[in-house]
Amino acid sequence: HDRAAMSGKKADDGARALSGKEKKEFDNVVRCYETKQHKKGLKAADFVLKKFPNHGETLAMKGLILSNMDRMEEAHELVKLGVRNDMKSHVCWHVYGLVHRADRNYREAIKCYRMALKLHEGDAQILRDLASLQIQVRELADFTETRRIILKDRAGARLNWMGLAVAKFLQGQHRAAVAVIEKYEDFRAEERGSEPNLAKYEVSEMYLFKAMILEEAGAHEEALAVLDKHSDKLVDVIGVLEQRARLYTALGRGAQAEATLRALIAKNTENHGYYRQLEAVLGVDGDVAKLKATYDALAVQYPKSDAVRRLPLDFLSGDAFASAVRRYVVAPIRKGVPSLFRNLKSLYADRAKAAAMGEAFAEIVSSLESSGKFPGSEKSEADAAQCVCYARTLLAYHKDKVGDVEGALSTIDSAIASTDPSVLECYLAKASFLKHAGDVVGAMNVANEVREMDRADRYLNSYCVKRMLRAGEYEAAEKTVALFTRDGNQASNLFDMQCAWFENEAGRCHQRGGRKNRALKYFTAVRKHYDDMEEDQFDFHQYCLRKNTLRHYVQMLRVEDTLYSRRAYREAARGGVEVYLDLFDNPLPDPAEEEEKMLAAMSKEERQAYRKKLKKAEEKKAKDDAEKKAREEKEAREAEKDGKKKNQATKRKEDPDPDGDELLKTETPLVEAERLIEPLLRHAAAFEDTHLLAFEVFRRKGKLLLALRACNAAVRCSPSSFAARRNVAHLAAIVSSSDCSGAVKTVLDDGVKTLTGGATAAAYAQALVAEASSSLEGALAAEAVKLAGGDAGVAAAKVGDLEVPRRVDDAIAAVAALERVGAGVGALIAKLAVAFPYCEAFGGAKATKRA
């Protein structure tokens, strides 16, 4: 901040010019803010305000300090008062913008910065802050203009040139971006700083960024020319080779592309992407004979490479595949590689390959059990018992994948029994199989058993916690996960570590158990993590330009533009939206009314005892709060007295709503649900679930045009989805009976007609019933009939005759759909109990009983 400007220039009440001791104290306020000495800053501000209580800039600075102390309400009040008292102070408006930014109200912050610039044109600090906000909210045109103004005022700084180049590039103005870099090159490109190695890196990054811009503009020859011209200045060897390979391929220079890709493979023999690019360059993609010859040659050149042996399994078939997969699994079985099956999992999309792998794995197990040798080998294995164990584990994974639950469990039990000491991975495999079979209690018990074998292993602890939460044992899960947190405080530590997997699992556990408050607490915690990640961009807008890491800066911005499409956020948003929709459909009873009913049902003596109990609880809480406050004040005094205040760790702010009770009291559940969906619509529009959730929210809000848009998007994402088409039937029924008129009615009618092919809601739903082939599809079709206003009883009765889903989760979803229909549930559950005998949810005969 400009301290001279901050002292003010006007002499009226709120904007008076400070002098003497007051001016010195105001400068001290600014200095304390910059050095984060907040309490001293407040003291200095109060000194000024004691004499000039309406001084705008001092009020604003005091508010800014309070915002840094998480006292946002007081901060906003003081800063607004400061602005009101000194409307023509750029400092007040700048500070107001900083407070809005701290509150993540970016649009309002931008307005404040613009006002500050009107009053103090060309202020470098305000311009930098404005540029950071504009790129944060992706106002690219305004960001480009701000960077142009900054460059005009300070053309000597490299970061200002690079800032404008990045802005032009992000706007799609590739040639203009290159022109900015070239203009800078003319007189500053070879500039050296005090650190020659750092300067060399920065120059290299500038040229590589220029080549990247040209490549994305389609100017491949020019991009290659940049790499050739400045080859002696480029320090990112791998990055240069990768870009050269792409450019040679785009230009059709096969020989050079091949040589470059082979050089990359020599540096990293496990990068699958290099091999895929090489296949395309050699023109062997799709030609099995040529592909086999290529990989045979590479296998000779790189005998230790796993990728060279794994990739041929994707294109080989028949006997060649069976022989290759037998050879491939031998080394990992000998070494006991736990990830072997995961590496082969994608091959199960081909049923013939799945059958071939089953035969191969069974043959390997049989050979090792009978002779201690792999098939075709004349040498006995040094550790045959371990080989048998891992071979059985691989076979068990195969059986689980193809749906043979009994075979998988018996095979993994034999693997567990074959070694001493026990192999932990076998127990994890068994827990996984039980989970897939729906035996959540059995999976939990096995996971806890393996955790007890190595209590120092964080992964085993986390895996066990996940299984406990799936089984609904949240109290045991919280105690178990606390074993790996500081001071056993799992709630705050896991939140600080942004442990989204735990919060999503815990949220789902509480949602299933009907504890909506705790479910919302966990789901909103995940939302907070992602909001923090989005906010974290601020740390890099200036830093990356200063350090010239331009390619990585652009990559970071592109990652942030898809941030909320990550699975963890999508799961949390779905859970949160479902709870809010449930709150809207089934509002909580008024606590006061409930208490009145309860008191009315009590006798006079019971009411007196109840009120006495309440009074005691209030007195105890007040006493505990007073003791806690006194203890904290005493600790603060002792720390200050001992001179240890600076070394004290920052004390964590206490959560005022640890169980989510306040979240549950919301009077606008649909507004809260829409807040969770909004980032999904921006970042995760490619996922069907996003639009299924959006439809449910918008139809309840009566926003039928948005509901229509959600239906269209869901059908585009998955045209054959029964869930999406169920929503189409529902929307058709709503529109046919709505009182909309004019243009809105026309758009809705035309949109629904396009989706249903002109059929009525009832006819469209009945067509779904006829098309359904599995229990889940039949259940969703029956629900569509009900939502379309028809009698769903007949459709629900047919669900039990359809094919049972392979996955337990799909079977549970089918039951949930029929429960919403209100028919056919018992018959379906009876059928599913036979199909999934280990599944507790269906009362399976083999499911583990709870203790």
Side-chain angles (χ1 to χ4, degrees):
H1 296 280
D2 184 352
R3 290 181 190 162
M6 281 190 173
S7 64
K9 293 184 179 179
K10 295 211 170 184
D12 53 307
D13 189 24
R16 78 167 55 244
L18 298 176
S19 59
K21 197 168 186 181
E22 286 75 25
K23 183 181 183 305
K24 187 178 178 182
E25 284 300 317
F26 180 83
D27 290 341
N28 192 31
V29 173
V30 177
R31 188 163 44 251
C32 288
Y33 165 72
E34 291 171 344
T35 56
K36 297 185 179 180
Q37 298 180 54
H38 297 137
K39 288 189 177 179
K40 285 185 179 179
L42 290 177
K43 196 172 181 181
D46 287 338
F47 179 86
V48 177
L49 293 172
K50 189 173 182 181
K51 188 169 183 181
F52 304 112
N54 295 323
H55 190 253
E57 293 178 358
T58 306
L59 286 167
M61 285 304 302
K62 182 178 179 181
L64 183 59
I65 291 171
L66 288 174
S67 77
N68 279 20
M69 298 170 73
D70 290 327
R71 291 160 64 178
M72 295 305 298
E73 286 187 20
E74 296 174 72
H76 274 286
E77 288 300 320
L78 280 172
V79 175
K80 277 194 278 187
L81 183 60
V83 170
R84 199 157 47 237
N85 289 346
D86 194 355
M87 294 286 288
K88 294 187 177 180
S89 167
H90 74 278
V91 173
C92 291
W93 284 105
H94 189 189
V95 168
Y96 201 11
L98 291 172
V99 171
H100 276 308
R101 200 201 90 170
D103 221 14
R104 297 181 182 176
N105 194 350
Y106 303 135
R107 305 289 177 184
E108 290 300 316
I110 287 173
K111 291 177 187 176
C112 293
Y113 288 161
R114 289 194 182 283
M115 190 65 193
L117 285 171
K118 282 183 183 178
L119 298 168
H120 196 244
E121 192 174 345
D123 186 290
Q125 180 63 52
I126 300 175
L127 282 167
R128 283 195 295 271
D129 287 348
L130 177 61
S132 293
L133 272 179
Q134 287 167 335
I135 187 60
Q136 181 79 7
V137 298
R138 303 299 189 267
E139 290 184 353
L140 297 179
D142 291 341
F143 173 61
T144 302
E145 177 59 19
T146 304
R147 294 303 328 179
R148 187 193 64 76
I149 295 169
I150 292 172
L151 176 60
K152 182 181 175 184
D153 292 343
R154 290 192 62 194
R158 185 198 64 233
L159 73 88
N160 293 337
W161 289 89
M162 295 303 108
L164 182 58
V166 169
K168 296 281 188 184
F169 170 66
L170 293 174
Q171 254 196 304
Q173 300 176 14
H174 299 97
R175 286 295 171 186
V178 170
V180 171
I181 294 175
E182 287 177 345
K183 195 167 183 180
Y184 175 75
E185 284 180 58
D186 291 342
F187 65 102
R188 304 285 290 196
E190 304 304 319
E191 180 181 34
R192 290 286 184 271
S194 57
E195 297 182 54
N197 289 335
L198 183 60
K200 188 177 180 182
Y201 169 80
E202 291 170 353
V203 170
S204 167
E205 282 298 304
M206 183 184 71
Y207 289 128
L208 287 173
F209 181 56
K210 181 180 177 182
M212 172 185 161
I213 296 171
L214 290 167
E215 182 185 357
E216 294 200 13
H220 301 118
E221 285 282 9
E222 293 176 59
L224 197 56
V226 170
L227 298 180
D228 290 338
K229 181 180 177 182
H230 304 291
S231 59
D232 59 324
K233 301 185 183 76
L234 305 178
V235 298
D236 183 2
V237 178
I238 300 296
V240 170
L241 284 174
E242 288 177 342
Q243 190 170 19
R244 282 186 181 278
R246 293 193 303 270
L247 293 170
Y248 286 140
T249 303
L251 292 167
R253 300 183 188 178
Q256 290 170 295
E258 180 186 350
T260 306
L261 286 165
R262 289 188 182 279
L264 283 167
I265 289 170
K267 290 180 179 294
N268 183 357
T269 61
E270 302 302 335
N271 188 316
H272 287 208
Y274 296 160
Y275 293 100
R276 298 297 187 200
Q277 285 179 268
L278 183 61
E279 290 175 18
V281 167
L282 293 174
V284 298
D285 192 15
D287 188 325
V288 175
K290 289 181 179 179
L291 280 168
K292 187 175 184 306
T294 300
Y295 279 97
D296 285 346
L298 287 167
V300 173
Q301 194 174 358
Y302 306 111
K304 293 183 179 180
S305 170
D306 178 82
V308 168
R309 290 178 290 113
R310 168 62 186 83
L311 289 172
L313 299 179
D314 291 336
F315 58 79
L316 292 174
S317 59
D319 292 340
F321 172 80
S323 176
V325 80
R326 279 183 177 85
R327 290 195 303 273
Y328 176 72
V329 300
V330 169
I333 288 174
R334 280 192 183 123
K335 294 177 182 177
V337 176
S339 60
L340 173 58
F341 181 75
R342 185 178 292 274
N343 207 8
L344 298 170
K345 207 171 180 181
S346 61
L347 299 172
Y348 281 83
D350 185 322
R351 290 190 177 183
K353 288 185 177 182
M357 284 189 286
E359 292 174 9
F361 301 159
E363 184 184 344
I364 289 170
V365 170
S366 177
S367 179
L368 285 170
E369 287 175 344
S370 61
S371 64
K373 303 174 185 176
F374 281 96
S377 173
E378 296 181 358
K379 182 181 177 183
S380 297
E381 295 302 313
D383 192 345
Q386 178 173 304
C387 288
V388 168
C389 174
Y390 281 104
R392 285 174 175 167
T393 303
L394 179 61
L395 180 59
Y397 271 115
H398 164 80
K399 291 181 177 180
D400 174 66
K401 183 67 178 175
V402 298
D404 181 4
V405 177
E406 296 289 354
L409 291 173
S410 63
T411 305
I412 200 64
D413 282 339
S414 65
I416 290 171
S418 66
T419 56
D420 188 26
S422 299
V423 175
L424 302 184
E425 287 80 4
C426 295
Y427 288 88
L428 291 174
K430 183 176 181 180
S432 179
F433 303 158
L434 289 168
K435 178 197 75 170
H436 295 159
D439 188 356
V440 290
V441 177
M444 175 186 70
N445 292 341
V446 174
N448 195 47
E449 184 181 353
V450 70
R451 181 188 70 83
E452 292 285 356
M453 294 178 186
D454 187 357
R455 293 189 177 187
D457 191 311
R458 183 190 288 268
Y459 173 77
L460 296 179
N461 181 277
S462 299
Y463 187 82
C464 179
V465 167
K466 197 171 184 179
R467 300 279 71 79
M468 287 175 169
L469 290 170
R470 290 284 176 95
E473 300 292 337
Y474 66 94
E475 291 178 340
E478 288 169 357
K479 290 176 183 176
T480 304
V481 78
L483 297 173
F484 279 84
T485 57
R486 284 195 307 272
D487 305 323
N489 187 350
Q490 61 90 9
S492 63
N493 290 167
L494 293 173
F495 179 83
D496 291 342
M497 291 189 288
Q498 298 185 336
C499 197
W501 72 263
F502 173 80
E503 287 159 341
N504 274 332
E505 288 291 344
R508 280 293 183 190
C509 175
H510 289 299
Q511 185 184 4
R512 289 190 296 269
R515 297 174 292 276
K516 299 175 187 175
N517 56 330
R518 298 205 62 188
L520 283 178
K521 185 67 179 177
Y522 281 116
F523 291 140
T524 53
V526 178
R527 168 67 193 259
K528 177 72 166 57
H529 298 331
Y530 277 81
D531 288 346
D532 289 344
M533 292 176 205
E534 190 176 43
E535 169 83 3
D536 288 344
Q537 291 178 77
F538 269 117
D539 296 337
F540 298 96
H541 294 318
Q542 288 296 324
Y543 174 85
C544 290
L545 295 179
R546 193 168 66 249
K547 295 294 184 181
N548 220 39
T549 55
L550 306 178
R551 291 179 302 153
H552 298 98
Y553 177 53
V554 169
Q555 185 182 8
M556 183 270 293
L557 293 177
R558 288 173 174 172
V559 167
E560 291 282 354
D561 286 341
T562 60
L563 178 67
Y564 291 94
S565 68
R566 297 296 189 274
R567 183 178 175 183
Y569 179 75
R570 287 188 285 114
E571 288 180 356
R574 181 178 180 179
V577 169
E578 287 172 351
V579 174
Y580 281 125
L581 293 179
D582 189 21
L583 281 176
F584 177 79
D585 294 339
N586 306 291
L588 295 175
D590 186 347
E593 290 181 6
E594 289 293 301
E595 188 176 32
E596 282 182 20
K597 288 179 184 177
M598 182 180 68
L599 290 171
M602 290 180 179
S603 64
K604 183 179 179 181
E605 291 76 16
E606 287 174 332
R607 282 196 294 273
Q608 288 175 343
Y610 175 75
R611 290 191 175 110
K612 191 175 180 180
K613 185 179 177 182
L614 283 181
K615 188 177 179 181
K616 278 187 177 180
E618 287 172 3
E619 289 173 352
K620 185 177 185 302
K621 186 177 183 302
K623 184 181 177 183
D624 290 344
D625 290 344
E627 288 177 355
K628 183 180 178 183
K629 187 177 179 182
R631 189 166 58 250
E632 288 174 353
E633 289 175 353
K634 183 181 178 183
E635 288 172 359
R637 285 195 303 271
E638 288 176 356
E640 195 167 0
K641 187 177 179 182
D642 296 341
K644 296 177 183 176
K645 195 169 184 180
K646 287 184 181 178
N647 298 327
Q648 270 192 322
T650 304
K651 190 167 184 180
R652 180 182 171 81
K653 186 180 177 183
E654 190 172 334
D655 189 345
D657 185 26
D659 294 326
D661 294 327
E662 295 303 315
L663 290 171
L664 199 62
K665 292 176 184 176
T666 179
E667 296 179 357
T668 55
L670 292 183
V671 173
E672 297 301 326
E674 197 170 358
R675 282 189 66 249
L676 290 170
I677 285 175
E678 184 270 330
L680 290 178
L681 292 172
R682 280 190 289 119
H683 291 179
F687 295 90
E688 180 194 1
D689 258 8
T690 296
H691 307 293
L692 297 180
L693 291 171
F695 173 80
E696 294 298 336
V697 174
F698 292 140
R699 77 164 176 83
R700 283 172 172 84
K701 294 191 80 173
K703 297 181 177 181
L704 296 184
L705 288 174
L706 291 177
L708 173 62
R709 186 179 71 178
C711 276
N712 279 318
V715 171
R716 276 197 305 273
C717 289
S718 184
S720 61
S721 165
F722 273 70
R725 292 188 286 169
R726 171 205 58 196
N727 287 355
V728 170
H730 194 184
L731 180 65
I734 293 171
V735 170
S736 67
S737 60
S738 73
D739 55 0
C740 296
S741 60
V744 173
K745 177 69 172 172
T746 302
V747 171
L748 288 171
D749 286 341
D750 290 347
V752 168
K753 187 176 179 181
T754 301
L755 285 168
T756 62
T760 64
Y764 184 80
Q766 287 297 337
L768 290 180
V769 173
E771 186 184 334
S773 61
S774 72
S775 300
L776 177 57
E777 292 176 351
L780 292 171
E783 188 179 9
V785 172
K786 180 180 180 181
L787 294 171
D791 181 4
V794 176
K798 292 179 180 177
V799 173
D801 300 329
L802 299 174
E803 182 184 347
V804 172
R806 289 191 61 184
R807 295 173 63 248
V808 169
D809 290 345
D810 289 341
I812 291 172
V815 172
L818 284 189
E819 285 175 343
R820 293 192 293 271
V821 171
V825 178
L828 179 60
I829 287 180
K831 184 174 181 180
L832 292 174
V834 176
F836 299 100
Y838 287 90
C839 185
E840 182 192 44
F842 307 135
K846 296 182 180 180
T848 305
K849 305 300 180 188
R850 291 182 182 267

